[in-house]
Amino acid sequence: MLTAVSAWQEALSAEIQARFGVALEPAQIPFTFPPKTELGDAATTVAFALAKPLRRPPAEIAGALAGTRLPGVSEIRTAGGYMNLFLDRGWAVERLLSRGFLPAGVEGKIIVEHTNINPNKAAHVGHLRNAVLGDTLVRCLRYLGRKVEVQNYIDDTGVQVADVVVGFQRILGWKLEDVRNLIALMADFSETSGSFLFLQELIDRWHEYWREENLHRFGLNGLIPGQACPTPFPPAYDFFHGAMGRFDSFCWGLYARVAPWYALSDENKQARLDTLHLMEAGDNDTAEMAALIAEEMVRCHLRTMDWLGIRYDVLPHESDILKTGFWASCFEKLKASGAVHQVPAGSEDKNRGCWVMALQESEEFKGMSDADKVIVRSNGTVTYIGKDMAYQLWKFGLLGRDFHYRPFPGAPYPIWRTDAGTAMESSPAGEGATAAACAPSKASAVLSKASAASSESVILASEARPESRAGKEGFRTSRNDGMGTGAAEAETAGSTGAAALAPPHFGAGAGVYNVIDVRQSYLQKIVKEGLRQMDHEKEAERSVHYAYEMVALSTKFVRSEMEKGAHFELSEEELAKPFVEMSGRKGLGFQADLLMDRMKDRALAEIESREPELAKTDRAQWEHRAEALATAALRFYMVKYNKNQVVAFDLEQALAFEGDTGPYLQYACVRAENILRKAAEQGLAVPDPADPAALAECAPHFDEEGWGLLSLFMRVPIQVKMAVDSLDLNIVARQLYDAAQAFHGYYHHFPVIQEPDPAKRAARLLTVALFARLLREGLGQLLGIPVPDRM
RNA sequence: GCGCUCGUAGCUCAGUUGGAUAGAGCGUUGGCCUCCGGAGCCAAAGGUCGUGGGUUCGAAUCCCGCCGAGCGCACCA
């Protein structure tokens, strides 16, 4: 089906050919929007483009073309060289509702990889930017009709996990069993955490636990010489180590203490290497502890992101890339294509003995002093970049191998993780490898249901709509409310045996987006170059690094925290800069869950000040609304900036609910729906936008301002396309914000229910109804922002 | 040294790919709730778009130079 804009382009192209004898590709005809809606619904500047070849002034050309008949266009008015289109309003509304302004869809599955947090500490605001941008991209691609698979890569074998293991074993002196107990205790806490309502209770239980049985057993006090922190763990709702009662947060604090501990002696440093070796060897307590920590950490991260409506389809694990022989296959291909060569061991080259990829031939890397990139070290081990190339090949279905898969246990929704296949035989879980992997959990039940429903079309977890994904408690679900999957699925869990589960066919995408911050641009370029050198030019072209700038902490904010007693190793020079980079290793950052707690607390207070009764009568509703507000505030904050803008995180700015914020957009929607509700209560008929008769009746009575408001939504599909093409997703946020702002102005100036003229009133009710529907849809589908019924 | 990015109102940022009078939010000042919830609306003040050249009907946007800032350029991930 021809979309509106392309139909206009073709008609104009034909007209230009006929009238001026100039051949202009339809796609070359530029369509934009007038700066003010009263100037028109859409505009083209094609007359300017024709001025030069025709040697005639733009205004004259525009005038000559103004009579062109375009589908759905009732009039073309010229203003200088501009040609402003006024649409037939009934036609336009119909198109708005049927997505008639969407560009034509494209076939082929797109793989989006995002989040990718090292599973050794809590997520911080920088990870949130990654996840929100990644998820928003996914939503935009789906809106445009693409099929999307979402991957969250888990590096469960690296030094970061090893460091936390060292922290537990060597600094705290804990055994595998102690970590297991801690996780069990924390999991219990996690069910209720996330609100100040429960905070004191948590802190009390926490202190009781440590005081009564564990504090002196583990000898936790004053453990690390040379550390400024007087106690190993903060006593209360401490700012930077905060979010008490959460395992990921506990590890955040612990991890920050490992680097100083390494600095104490060479012996300590050796612990990292020893740990890495044990992890690699497997079949020992250290390796098991690492796996335990990584898995629980991923669970924490999944929950954090799920609260924001961010989901994944599959969790590729680095350990499985290694165990499944991905690298061996990739290495063969690299060697066979001549993309890598070995530097002779006897040479003077600093890379002697390594397998390197030569980059000097490539335009992208010219001017580099050292144009060779080491892929395999002289000791025969593969670098990160090599593993990433293998992963990238798999994403495009070029590797000739696949993972095995199993449900990821204990996730807040059904999700698959990779598996090495044979590794399960030696799994310590013991009770028969296959049965353990496919145990009848809620997750596997839902997954088997999904695959039973259709062996061809697979329901991906990340495709679930906000409306259906959240239980009745709303977005922020915890473990005890049905895992957010709804009651129906949960009921079937018990009756489903260890049925043969068929995971969807992961990987083999037609295009790939890697959402990774800009600091990795160089490495991502090399991965792309690797594809090219392996003669996969087409895939290299379709391999997109979505690079965005980092989130740092504004020094203003850091200073204010230090004045409140927070402790950081920062020089005066660093504090003189506008912002400081976050560092998990230093414990310098702001944890995601803590930010969300703060937002929720702020929202709870705001709601209570407006509706004091609610807090007393319906706490669940109170919290539900607060969570929706927090999600909106956070997601909008993360997406409203240009991707090239360093976000200097400032708590006060992030916590704002007024002005250019998520709640402002929700408020517009809530007010609109409230007007409709009030109208219905008073017995007024609200015209149904989908009813052609009602539409025909109302269309002549739209006020110009109301129409201008609705016409903003015609821009959305085009803006989304533009946002995806440029990866500047703030365009989408901005567009919906503009619409919300226009509505606030509109209803202040135009009474709806009070309007005495029935025809005008009906048209205004229709305007409000359309606005509410389009904004709610846009916020949910594009930005992942839920709208509560009331605020 | 080489490469990438940024510099727009007091502050934080937009600016629809070169187009219409450079716009929002915060903050400041002054108005607006017996009337669809004030998380809102209206108005005022606030700009040499870092700077100097160039390209053309037209430049915040493209090109070149300079000034200032950030990030990359490992046998780390």
Side-chain angles (χ1 to χ4, degrees):
Chain A
M1 187 181 98
L2 218 51
T3 68
V5 172
S6 57
W8 297 338
Q9 286 172 325
E10 291 203 4
L12 265 175
S13 173
E15 180 75 11
I16 290 162
Q17 174 75 53
R19 195 171 282 269
F20 302 117
V22 175
L24 202 54
E25 282 292 310
Q28 299 287 91
I29 297 176
F31 270 90
T32 59
F33 299 100
K36 287 177 182 171
T37 50
E38 58 262 35
L39 290 172
D41 300 316
T44 175
T45 54
V46 70
F48 291 103
L50 290 170
K52 198 163 206 178
L54 294 179
R55 295 169 178 275
R56 288 165 68 181
E60 191 187 320
I61 297 165
L65 291 172
T68 311
R69 291 178 63 86
L70 302 176
V73 176
S74 57
E75 188 187 354
I76 299 176
R77 287 185 210 158
T78 62
Y82 293 98
M83 294 169 62
N84 293 324
L85 277 54
F86 290 79
L87 304 188
D88 177 275
R89 293 177 180 179
W91 179 89
V93 168
E94 198 189 318
R95 287 281 172 138
L96 270 177
L97 292 173
S98 67
R99 302 209 162 179
F101 293 101
L102 265 182
V106 185
E107 293 297 308
K109 180 173 77 179
I110 299 291
I111 290 174
V112 177
E113 175 198 338
H114 68 79
T115 304
N116 303 0
I117 309 170
N118 273 313
N120 74 322
K121 60 177 178 300
H124 60 55
V125 287
H127 302 122
L128 284 178
R129 186 174 196 187
N130 183 299
V132 170
L133 288 177
D135 186 64
T136 306
L137 174 65
V138 168
R139 287 165 186 275
C140 288
L141 285 166
R142 288 196 175 132
Y143 178 87
L144 296 175
R146 304 301 308 248
K147 181 172 170 53
V148 184
E149 175 179 306
V150 189
Q151 303 186 356
N152 176 8
Y153 183 77
I154 310 296
D155 178 7
D156 55 341
T157 60
V159 288
Q160 299 223 27
V161 173
D163 284 347
V164 176
V165 171
V166 168
F168 275 114
Q169 290 185 330
R170 302 295 301 276
I171 298 180
L172 300 183
W174 287 20
K175 301 270 186 291
L176 177 60
E177 217 35 46
D178 298 320
V179 176
R180 192 168 277 145
N181 288 337
L182 177 75
I183 288 173
L185 177 82
M186 295 277 192
D188 193 26
F189 279 179
S190 296
E191 291 189 1
T192 50
S193 66
S195 161
F196 75 85
L197 290 170
F198 307 103
L199 189 62
Q200 196 51 53
E201 186 188 336
L202 289 183
I203 291 171
D204 290 348
R205 286 177 61 188
W206 172 260
H207 281 164
E208 196 181 323
Y209 177 82
W210 290 112
R211 197 165 39 242
E212 289 192 356
E213 42 181 326
N214 294 312
L215 191 62
H216 91 269
R217 176 154 78 93
F218 293 132
L220 272 177
N221 287 320
L223 252 158
I224 308 165
Q227 269 291 84
C229 190
T231 54
F233 297 102
Y237 203 41
D238 178 86
F239 193 64
F240 274 84
H241 309 105
M244 295 292 290
R246 288 171 174 142
F247 178 72
D248 55 350
S249 188
F250 184 97
C251 291
W252 173 282
L254 182 59
Y255 180 49
R257 283 159 175 79
V258 175
W261 185 80
Y262 284 147
L264 295 178
S265 72
D266 287 343
E267 190 195 337
N268 288 358
K269 282 189 201 78
Q270 184 61 33
R272 172 190 266 180
L273 295 177
D274 294 344
T275 302
L276 276 169
H277 287 145
L278 283 166
M279 282 167 58
E280 200 180 330
D283 207 14
N284 60 68
D285 276 8
T286 297
E288 205 180 320
M289 186 188 284
L292 185 68
I293 290 168
E295 186 174 283
E296 179 62 16
M297 200 68 65
V298 170
R299 221 167 268 137
C300 290
H301 294 160
L302 289 179
R303 192 170 51 227
T304 297
M305 296 308 171
D306 191 41
W307 285 338
L308 290 168
I310 299 170
R311 293 187 169 196
Y312 316 91
D313 297 306
V314 62
L315 306 170
H317 280 58
E318 178 151 302
S319 57
D320 295 323
I321 285 187
L322 299 175
K323 285 187 234 166
T324 315
F326 271 31
W327 167 242
S329 297
C330 179
F331 196 25
E332 287 311 310
K333 288 180 187 297
L334 282 166
K335 283 191 283 196
S337 63
V340 296
H341 67 274
Q342 190 168 28
V343 180
S347 77
E348 290 299 304
D349 194 301
K350 70 186 173 82
N351 293 333
R352 58 184 170 274
C354 300
W355 287 85
V356 301
M357 190 160 84
L359 301 172
Q360 68 270 18
E361 304 276 309
S362 167
E363 191 65 19
E364 298 252 39
F365 298 92
K366 67 173 183 186
M368 287 190 51
S369 55
D370 177 11
D372 282 349
K373 182 68 191 173
V374 173
I375 308 297
V376 179
R377 303 184 187 99
S378 53
N379 66 5
T381 58
V382 60
T383 60
Y384 155 79
I385 198 86
K387 285 178 275 192
D388 218 31
M389 278 182 196
Y391 180 33
Q392 193 76 359
L393 280 175
W394 170 79
K395 281 181 179 172
F396 280 111
L398 298 171
L399 191 65
R401 278 175 186 268
D402 197 359
F403 295 104
H404 292 78
Y405 301 93
R406 62 184 159 101
F408 184 86
Y413 54 91
I415 178 172
W416 295 90
R417 61 155 290 170
T418 54
D419 190 279
T422 54
M424 288 191 296
E425 298 299 328
S426 59
S427 164
E431 314 139 45
T434 313
C438 301
S441 64
K442 284 177 189 171
S444 61
V446 178
L447 287 165
S448 67
K449 220 178 136 186
S451 49
S454 163
S455 56
E456 289 297 315
S457 69
V458 175
I459 300 166
L460 296 177
S462 66
E463 276 177 355
R465 287 286 158 75
E467 300 80 55
S468 63
R469 80 149 65 95
K472 57 185 173 192
E473 289 300 305
F475 257 65
R476 189 158 179 175
T477 58
S478 63
R479 290 188 189 183
N480 50 6
D481 71 1
M483 320 284 272
T485 56
E489 286 87 348
E491 276 170 21
T492 65
S495 60
T496 308
L501 302 181
H505 183 42
F506 293 120
V512 169
Y513 287 90
N514 295 330
V515 184
I516 309 176
D517 83 58
V518 70
R519 289 171 293 184
Q520 296 225 33
S521 293
Y522 170 69
L523 293 170
Q524 283 293 308
K525 260 190 192 175
I526 295 171
V527 171
K528 193 168 176 162
E529 180 65 19
L531 282 175
R532 200 169 281 135
Q533 294 201 14
M534 282 184 275
D535 298 320
H536 297 306
E537 183 68 38
K538 189 184 77 186
E539 284 77 9
E541 284 311 308
R542 296 180 184 173
S543 175
V544 179
H545 173 207
Y546 180 1
Y548 62 93
E549 265 292 355
M550 62 174 173
V551 180
L553 300 176
S554 81
T555 32
K556 194 180 85 185
F557 168 63
V558 171
R559 278 178 183 283
S560 81
E561 287 309 310
M562 290 174 81
E563 280 161 21
K564 291 180 200 161
H567 235 278
F568 301 112
E569 296 292 325
L570 288 172
S571 65
E572 271 308 309
E573 194 185 356
E574 283 171 303
L575 284 168
K577 293 178 176 178
F579 50 81
V580 290
E581 199 173 338
M582 288 187 286
S583 163
R585 212 167 40 81
K586 293 181 192 162
L588 180 57
F590 200 99
Q591 290 176 48
D593 282 352
L594 185 53
L595 175 60
M596 280 152 57
D597 288 351
R598 290 290 184 94
M599 286 180 157
K600 187 177 167 187
D601 287 350
R602 163 81 60 104
L604 286 167
E606 293 284 338
I607 293 164
E608 192 179 17
S609 73
R610 289 168 175 78
E611 208 174 330
E613 294 311 306
L614 185 70
K616 297 178 195 121
T617 58
D618 192 347
R619 197 164 90 168
Q621 181 61 219
W622 184 29
E623 287 201 62
H624 169 64
R625 289 186 198 167
E627 284 158 7
L629 274 145
T631 297
L634 187 87
R635 289 195 66 131
F636 196 81
Y637 179 72
M638 287 299 172
V639 85
K640 76 175 184 179
Y641 296 100
N642 186 294
K643 69 178 187 298
N644 293 327
Q645 188 78 33
V646 175
V647 173
F649 179 80
D650 181 279
L651 187 63
E652 282 311 308
Q653 270 177 29
L655 280 180
F657 287 172
E658 289 167 11
D660 190 8
T661 66
Y664 177 91
L665 281 89
Q666 290 175 311
Y667 189 61
C669 200
V670 167
R671 288 299 304 274
E673 286 169 357
N674 204 32
I675 290 171
L676 299 175
R677 185 164 39 236
K678 276 272 159 61
E681 278 169 18
Q682 295 180 19
L684 297 174
V686 178
D688 178 5
D691 174 13
L695 194 55
E697 204 172 310
C698 289
H701 301 286
F702 281 122
D703 349 89
E704 291 308 306
E705 289 81 358
W707 178 251
L709 166 67
L710 294 178
S711 75
L712 291 176
F713 284 97
M714 298 187 315
R715 308 179 180 195
V716 170
I718 296 164
Q719 303 281 36
V720 172
K721 177 72 164 57
M722 202 181 291
V724 168
D725 289 346
S726 66
L727 295 175
D728 278 321
L729 302 181
N730 64 324
I731 292 173
V732 180
R734 193 58 53 180
Q735 184 61 48
L736 294 180
Y737 174 75
D738 286 347
Q741 204 176 34
F743 178 73
H744 279 301
Y746 178 71
Y747 76 77
H748 270 278
H749 294 293
F750 296 87
V752 179
I753 294 173
Q754 276 82 12
E755 169 57 43
D757 179 347
K760 273 190 182 175
R761 189 176 57 218
R764 285 184 191 165
L765 279 167
L766 182 69
T767 303
V768 174
L770 272 167
F771 169 80
R773 176 167 162 175
L774 292 168
L775 185 62
R776 181 176 273 276
E777 270 180 18
L779 287 174
Q781 289 174 15
L782 295 166
L783 299 183
I785 292 178
V787 181
D789 294 335
R790 294 175 59 84
M791 289 172 67

